[in-house]
Amino acid sequence: MSKRDELIGKYAGDIRDKLGAEPDMDLLRKVTIGCGPSIYNADAETVASSDQAELDRIRKNYLMKKLGLSDGPELMDAINAVIDKYGRSNRSKYRPVVYYLLCQHFNKQSVYG
C-alpha cells in the first residue's frame, strides 16, 4: 500500500469517526490527489481553523480557483459550517477532508470528474 493510500484511508476513517458519514471514496481520492504534496507535510496536511489567513487561502485558492465559485459571504459561511461540522475543538482537521466537505457542500463533484 502506498503512502497516499494510507493517508486516504486515514481521511476516510476521520469522516466515518468524526462525522458519522460513509465517504465517497472516489471523490475523496481525487480531492486528496488534488492537494498535491501538501498531504505529506504534517503542518500543511491540516487546516488551522483559528487562523483567518488560512481560511482566506482556502476561500481564494480552493473555492474560487479550483471550484470556480464567485466570491461572496456564502464562501466563508460554508468554510465555517464545515469547520463546525468537523469540530472546532478537533485539533487535526485534515485539509483533504475539509476540501472534500466543501466540494460536497457546493455540489461541485463534477470538478473532479
Side-chain angles (χ1 to χ4, degrees):
M1 181 182 282
S2 72
K3 177 72 173 165
R4 184 174 66 201
D5 289 337
E6 288 176 30
L7 291 171
I8 291 169
K10 178 172 71 171
Y11 305 146
D14 231 33
I15 292 169
R16 286 185 196 102
D17 299 341
K18 295 179 179 155
L19 302 167
E22 189 57 35
D24 174 343
M25 292 304 291
D26 187 49
L27 178 62
L28 182 59
R29 172 176 291 284
K30 290 175 181 176
V31 169
T32 301
I33 290 168
C35 288
S38 69
I39 63 171
Y40 303 110
N41 178 305
D43 186 46
E45 177 188 35
T46 58
V47 171
S49 61
S50 60
D51 180 358
Q52 188 59 45
E54 169 86 359
L55 301 181
D56 286 338
R57 274 191 300 277
I58 292 170
R59 180 181 55 81
K60 279 181 73 176
N61 296 336
Y62 184 67
L63 295 178
M64 293 169 65
K65 286 184 183 176
K66 178 68 178 177
L67 298 186
L69 299 169
S70 299
D71 196 10
E74 66 279 357
L75 298 186
M76 201 52 77
D77 291 345
I79 292 169
N80 284 315
V82 162
I83 298 295
D84 288 340
K85 185 176 181 180
Y86 204 167
R88 285 209 179 263
S89 61
N90 171 21
R91 291 186 48 83
S92 295
K93 289 179 271 306
Y94 296 112
R95 185 172 308 281
V97 175
V98 170
Y99 287 9
Y100 168 88
L101 293 171
L102 286 167
C103 181
Q104 286 191 321
H105 177 87
F106 287 106
N107 200 27
K108 287 293 211 170
Q109 295 89 331
S110 61
V111 169
Y112 293 98

